[in-house]
Amino acid sequence: MFPRSGGIYVYINEGLGEILAFVFGWTYMMLVKPLAASAICMVFSEHFNHLFGLNCDTRVVTCITLLLLTAINTIGVGIGRAWRSC
């Protein structure tokens, strides 16, 4: 048990070394998380088109969904930061 923040990065760092933990951290941040989010949004866009009987390009709906969720997240972080500083 490693009671530090960082999740799996901490375990990789302790078990396999700093270099592999560093590579994992950057790979996870730059590839795995964005690709997972885009895959989820692609599935959402296909179901969105089917649910509403639309014939929109799924790539456009996926991009709009990602932009919308990013904006909501950014606004939420700003509100949380302002709320915490009070």
Side-chain angles (χ1 to χ4, degrees), residues 33-73:
K33 290 289 278 185
L35 290 175
S38 64
I40 291 168
C41 285
M42 286 176 62
V43 171
F44 168 78
S45 67
E46 290 174 4
H47 285 110
F48 182 82
N49 280 339
H50 183 69
L51 179 65
F52 292 107
L54 302 173
N55 195 16
C56 298
D57 188 6
T58 56
R59 295 174 295 181
V60 173
V61 177
T62 300
C63 290
I64 291 170
T65 304
L66 283 171
L67 290 172
L68 180 66
L69 292 175
T70 300
I72 291 170
N73 187 36

Side-chain angles (χ1 to χ4, degrees), residues 5-21:
S5 64
I8 194 167
Y9 171 83
V10 174
Y11 290 104
I12 293 174
N13 191 17
E14 292 292 327
L16 301 174
E18 291 180 359
I19 294 173
L20 287 177

